[in-house]
Amino acid sequence: MKKKLLTILIGSAFVMGLAACGGGDDKGGGDTASDAAEIFDQNCSSCHGGNLQGGMGPNLTKVGSRYSQDEIRNIIKNGKGAMPKNVIEGDDADEVAKWLAAKK
């Protein structure tokens, strides 16, 4: 009985954590790095950390040295590992991908 309850609690916490990775319908207003940072903060920082340091999601401080802008955009669109797909969409996703690709 205790194992079942613990499994349910851990599973619920995991689902709630994934739900926190998405959300936020606020849109950035332009092509500036501050807009991309704001979009990231609203949609991604709960998993990747406010300073890109990682947490439930991986560290992104040097993600641009591992992935190109197109590869980052593809990860945002299709998800990867525990990351759900389409956390950010459209121009916002392009803006964040460009911003993250510059992190080297």
Side-chain angles (χ1 to χ4, degrees):
M1 180 68 175
K2 288 182 181 182
K3 280 187 177 183
K4 264 188 183 179
L5 182 58
L6 184 59
T7 302
I8 290 170
L9 289 174
I10 290 173
S12 297
F14 182 73
V15 170
M16 294 300 289
L18 285 178
C21 286
D25 292 328
D26 295 340
K27 303 288 182 182
D31 293 338
T32 66
S34 64
D35 288 339
E38 184 178 330
I39 295 165
F40 177 90
D41 188 50
Q42 293 170 353
N43 297 282
C44 312
S45 64
S46 61
C47 292
H48 294 287
N51 294 319
L52 309 173
Q53 77 276 10
M56 192 163 58
N59 181 315
L60 300 178
T61 55
K62 296 183 181 182
V63 69
S65 65
R66 293 187 309 269
Y67 297 108
S68 70
Q69 181 177 338
D70 289 337
E71 291 171 322
I72 294 169
R73 175 65 175 94
N74 187 52
I75 292 169
I76 293 170
K77 179 180 179 183
N78 298 307
K80 183 173 181 176
M83 179 178 159
K85 64 181 180 175
N86 294 317
V87 171
I88 310 169
E89 297 178 305
D91 292 340
D92 286 352
D94 294 333
E95 198 170 321
V96 171
K98 179 179 178 181
W99 178 71
L100 287 172
K103 306 291 181 193
K104 298 186 184 209

